[in-house]
Each structure stands twice: as C-alpha cells, then as structure tokens.
Amino acid sequence: MRRRSLIMLSAALLVGCTTERAAAPAADSAGYGYHLHQEQQRNRVAAQAQRPAREAFSKVAFTAVPELPVPTPIDVTSNMLIRTATASIEVDSLEIAVAQVKQLAAQFGGYVANSGVETGKKRLRNATLEVKIPVTRFDDALSGLTPIGKVESVNVSAEDVGEEYVDVDARMENARRLERRLIDLLGTRTGKLKDVLAVETELARVREEIERYEGRMRYLKAHTATSTISVTVHEPIPVVGSAGHSVMGEAFAQSWRNFVVLVSLAVQSLGVVVPLALVAVVGWIGMRRWRLRGA
C-alpha cells in the first residue's frame, strides 16, 4: 500500500515537471511573437509617416481642385443689331477727300455702295458716299474719319432685329412642317382631280411663304453683318463770292449789273413820265390862255 502511494506521488511529480518544461518554451515563443508583432507595428507606422497613404493622394487629387461653372451659351440673336451712322466733314479739297473715304472703306474690309458729287455753278462743292463696313470694324471706321478733315457731326443709330429674326425662323419652321404634310398627303391622295389640285395649290402657296421667310432671314443676316456709314464731305463755305470765282471780279460784275438795272428802270419810267409831262404842258398852256382872255 505504501509502495503504491510512493509510485503515484512520483508519477505526479514527473508529470508536473514535464508540464512546466513544455509551458516555458511556449511562453518564450509567445513572448517573442508578441515583441515581433510590436516591432512590425512600429515599422508600419514609421513608413506611413514618411509617405502619405494612397487614400490621401486620391483625396488631394479629386477634392483639392474646385469644379468650374459651366459656361452659359451665347445667344446669337441678342447681338443682331443693324448699326448705321451719318457723318458730315469739312475738307479742303473735295477730290482728295473722296479718295480718302474710298481708301478708308477698303482698309477696313468694306466698300462704297453709293456715291454722289455736286460741283455745279454757284453751288457748294460736296459729295455723299454710302460706305458698307463689317460690323466688327464699325467703331474703327468712325475713328478713321477724323484724319480726313474737320468732323462737324456724327450720328449713330442701332436697330435690334433679334426678335424679328426668331419670329421669322419660327414661322418658316411651321411652314416647312406644313409643306411635308402636304407632300405626304399628295403622295397618298387618290381622290378626285379637284382635291389633288387644291392640295397642289396649297403646297405652292406654302413654298412661296418659305421662300419669302428665307429671303427675310438672309436680309437680316446681311444687314447685321455689315454696317452703313453715310459720309458727306464738302469744301469750306466762301465768305464772299462763290467757289471758283474772283471776289473783286464778282464785285465789278455786280456793279455793272446794278448800272444796267438803273438805266433800264429809267427807260421804263419814260412810259410814265413823258405822258404826264405832256398833260402838264397842255394844262399849263390852257390855263395861261384862259387868264389872258379874262384880263
């Protein structure tokens, strides 16, 4: 009995020692693994501190630049203006001024549409030129009038035709839709000849309206693309006499004309003076004879 107890006590001590030895390596390996994990964590933190994370790059790349506003489309019809101007310029030489106006029109990509010159006797020498200029060079052309001579007046006017253009465009689209419907109806129409002719008449009327609308739109586009400047150039108004004549020569001529007029008036007065003188003489002779008889 005692021997059995000793054997069991020995076995218990042996098992305890074995367990303690097995637990010690496990504890050592666990401690080593814990320290290795902590070292890896510190290295990872240091690496993240040295270079930014990929998420940070993505945030900076996509959120740092603000979105730009979408540009508003420009309404073409809001700039449809028909601009015209009239100018009066006093120049020293009419021929030179006319040449300068034509040169100015060519310089800014325009042309002279109409022109008229007055150089008659006893008239002020002047010329009127209607210049067509691209609308983008309108202001530059007005500024170019100053070197030609003394600018007396400049009047500028503008007419907005954008609303009319939109209205004509809408009318033309409606007419085109009606034209397509009439064409489809004419293609499928199998009724009487009278009905077919009525459809063709209506189709011709619609096409005429479309052509009229297209012509009006072309007119508006052309007149908004070019501006009109009516330039009047004239020579200085003479203080005495007329242009192209001597002042003293005109004075002598006028004095001779006055003398001729005076003589003509005297001759004309003879038709009144001579009869009155005859009547007066006859009356005086009669009165004298009457007095002599009474004495």
Side-chain angles (χ1 to χ4, degrees):
M1 185 71 182
R2 183 178 299 175
R3 182 179 297 175
R4 183 179 297 175
S5 299
L6 290 175
I7 293 171
M8 293 178 65
L9 180 59
S10 300
L13 290 176
L14 181 62
V15 170
C17 292
T18 305
T19 303
E20 184 177 359
R21 289 178 182 177
D28 293 340
S29 62
Y32 177 75
Y34 175 76
H35 288 295
L36 181 60
H37 176 71
Q38 290 289 34
E39 186 66 22
Q40 292 177 353
Q41 288 288 342
R42 285 194 295 269
N43 293 336
R44 189 179 296 111
V45 171
Q48 291 178 355
Q50 292 178 359
R51 58 180 181 180
R54 182 176 301 176
E55 295 179 358
F57 278 113
S58 62
K59 290 181 180 179
V60 172
F62 291 98
T63 61
V65 180
E67 294 183 357
L68 297 177
V70 179
T72 305
I74 300 175
D75 189 3
V76 179
T77 58
S78 62
N79 297 325
M80 297 194 66
L81 298 175
I82 299 178
R83 304 184 68 184
T84 58
T86 58
S88 178
I89 307 175
E90 180 181 329
V91 297
D92 296 332
S93 176
L94 183 64
E95 291 75 11
I96 296 177
V98 171
Q100 288 178 343
V101 173
K102 293 181 179 180
Q103 182 180 1
L104 177 69
Q107 179 181 356
F108 292 106
Y111 59 93
V112 177
N114 301 310
S115 62
V117 180
E118 292 185 2
T119 58
K121 185 179 180 181
K122 295 183 180 180
R123 288 186 178 180
L124 180 65
R125 289 167 52 84
N126 66 88
T128 302
L129 298 95
E130 185 176 309
V131 180
K132 298 292 185 178
I133 297 292
V135 66
T136 55
R137 309 301 302 273
F138 180 75
D139 296 331
D140 297 334
L142 289 179
S143 301
L145 297 177
T146 304
I148 297 177
K150 180 182 178 182
V151 179
E152 296 177 336
S153 64
V154 176
N155 298 319
V156 180
S157 61
E159 180 184 0
D160 190 355
V161 294
E163 183 177 356
E164 181 183 358
Y165 184 86
V166 173
D167 181 65
V168 173
D169 187 27
R171 291 173 182 267
M172 187 176 65
E173 290 298 328
N174 293 333
R176 284 178 175 173
R177 283 195 292 268
L178 181 58
E179 179 189 21
R180 289 192 293 269
R181 291 180 58 187
L182 290 174
I183 292 174
D184 295 340
L185 182 62
L186 189 63
T188 58
R189 191 74 176 180
T190 59
K192 299 180 180 179
L193 179 61
K194 179 181 178 181
D195 297 336
V196 175
L197 292 178
V199 174
E200 290 182 350
T201 303
E202 183 66 16
L203 181 60
R205 184 191 66 81
V206 172
R207 285 178 175 174
E208 183 179 356
E209 287 186 356
I210 293 175
E211 292 177 358
R212 186 168 63 252
Y213 292 147
E214 290 178 347
R216 184 59 181 174
M217 293 180 68
R218 287 194 298 267
Y219 173 84
L220 295 177
K221 288 181 179 180
H223 281 69
T224 53
T226 58
S227 301
T228 304
I229 304 177
S230 181
V231 183
T232 301
V233 292
H234 65 87
E235 293 183 351
I237 301 175
V239 179
V240 179
S242 58
H245 295 78
S246 173
V247 176
M248 295 302 297
E250 288 187 357
F252 282 112
Q254 185 64 37
S255 65
W256 174 253
R257 285 192 292 268
N258 293 337
F259 175 74
V260 173
V261 170
L262 180 61
V263 173
S264 65
L265 291 175
V267 174
Q268 292 176 8
S269 65
L270 292 177
V272 179
V273 173
V274 171
L276 291 178
L278 291 176
V279 172
V281 171
V282 172
W284 178 77
I285 294 174
M287 287 293 296
R288 185 176 181 182
R289 287 180 180 181
W290 181 75
R291 288 180 182 179
L292 289 176
R293 290 177 182 179

